Amino acid sequence: MTSTPPPSGLAPELAARLKRSPDGLLPAIAQQYDTGEVLMLGWMDDEALHRTLTTGRCTYWSRSRREYWVKGDTSGHFQWVRSVALDCDADTVLVKVDQVGAACHTGARTCFDVDVLLDDADSGVPASDQ
């Protein structure tokens, strides 16, 4: 079900470019700015993106709690924003951050280190061909 998003401080020209899911959200990938390590995926609506752009701290929309949350407010594991980029389709945001502590709610540095489905050793493709 599509609903009208709440008013936001996001610049109208940026908001007009965004391609959101039916529930008004964009996936937001958090990446460590200096190493390229992919840390987590969160969701942002226009207001969460606006807050992220203006405060220097990652703000996400919790789909389960239906509220905004700022990374680090309860855990102390902050994400300090270094840059924000929109992908070529305007449907995903890449936020490069300086991560303090764990990014994953499990306490792990990244959300993508437990269930590795394929890695270079398993791919059958020589590293020189990748």
Side-chain angles (χ1 to χ4, degrees), residues 39-85:
L39 300 169
M40 61 172 278
L41 172 93
W43 295 92
M44 293 184 180
D45 66 0
D46 288 14
E47 182 59 22
L49 179 56
H50 169 69
R51 292 179 188 186
T52 298
L53 292 169
T54 58
T55 66
R57 294 185 53 205
C58 282
T59 301
Y60 299 99
W61 175 255
S62 171
R63 295 177 301 166
S64 60
R65 295 188 314 266
R66 308 213 35 89
E67 65 184 14
Y68 295 104
W69 58 280
V70 179
K71 187 68 173 173
D73 273 359
T74 57
S75 67
H77 299 166
F78 298 98
Q79 290 179 341
W80 301 105
V81 176
R82 299 297 290 260
S83 70
V84 180

Side-chain angles (χ1 to χ4, degrees), residues 110-119:
T110 172
C111 295
F112 296 100
D113 65 351
V114 175
D115 289 323
V116 177
L117 304 178
L118 181 72
D119 64 21

Side-chain angles (χ1 to χ4, degrees), residues 1 6 14-15 21 24 26 32-33 37 47 49-50 60-61 66 70 76 78 89 98-101 105 115 117 120 130:
M1 172 164 73
L14 175 55
S21 67
L26 291 167
Q32 179 63 34
Y33 82 98
E37 178 182 29
E47 182 59 22
L49 179 56
H50 169 69
Y60 299 99
W61 175 255
R66 308 213 35 89
V70 179
F78 298 98
D89 294 321
D98 189 4
Q99 177 71 47
V100 176
H105 72 280
D115 289 323
L117 304 178
D120 287 344
Q130 294 180 4

